Amino acid sequence: MLWWNFIERSNEDIAQARSDWMTGSRFGEVVGYDGAPLSAPELPPVPLKPRGRVRRPGVPALVQAPRGTRPAPLDTPFPEGPIAPAKAIDGQ
């Protein structure tokens, strides 16, 4: 679900993200911005609803990490080894 600047899995997670933003306990500092932190708007008085997904035949769904886990760091090698650098379009 997406609300304001938060992407979470449920209405409760969105509410927690908003609370964490407002208290400054979870999100990093914006470097180079000298103003006061922006306040997140109030949540609407009704529960947020995720939009439905339309699956196209033959297109696999994205695999999500299990709840409570974090994605692997970008420098984690792939099981088949590192990705080879892309070749230039002009052949160089």
Side-chain angles (χ1 to χ4, degrees):
M1 296 174 56
L2 170 67
W3 180 79
W4 196 57
N5 285 332
F6 308 123
I7 299 174
E8 295 290 349
R9 295 178 190 210
S10 70
N11 194 65
E12 293 78 21
D13 291 344
I14 293 281
Q16 183 63 53
R18 182 189 183 281
S19 174
D20 293 345
W21 174 263
M22 297 300 287
T23 61
S25 64
R26 176 170 149 193
F27 299 96
E29 175 185 338
V30 178
V31 178
Y33 178 70
D34 295 329
L38 298 175
S39 294
E42 292 292 329
L43 283 166
V46 296
L48 302 173
K49 290 174 44 176
R51 293 189 294 179
R53 293 185 181 182
V54 177
R55 302 269 187 224
R56 293 181 293 179
V59 178
L62 296 175
V63 177
Q64 293 185 351
R67 188 175 181 86
T69 63
R70 294 180 179 263
L74 294 178
D75 59 352
T76 301
F78 289 90
E80 63 275 356
I83 297 175
K87 294 180 182 176
I89 294 174
D90 61 5
Q92 296 182 7

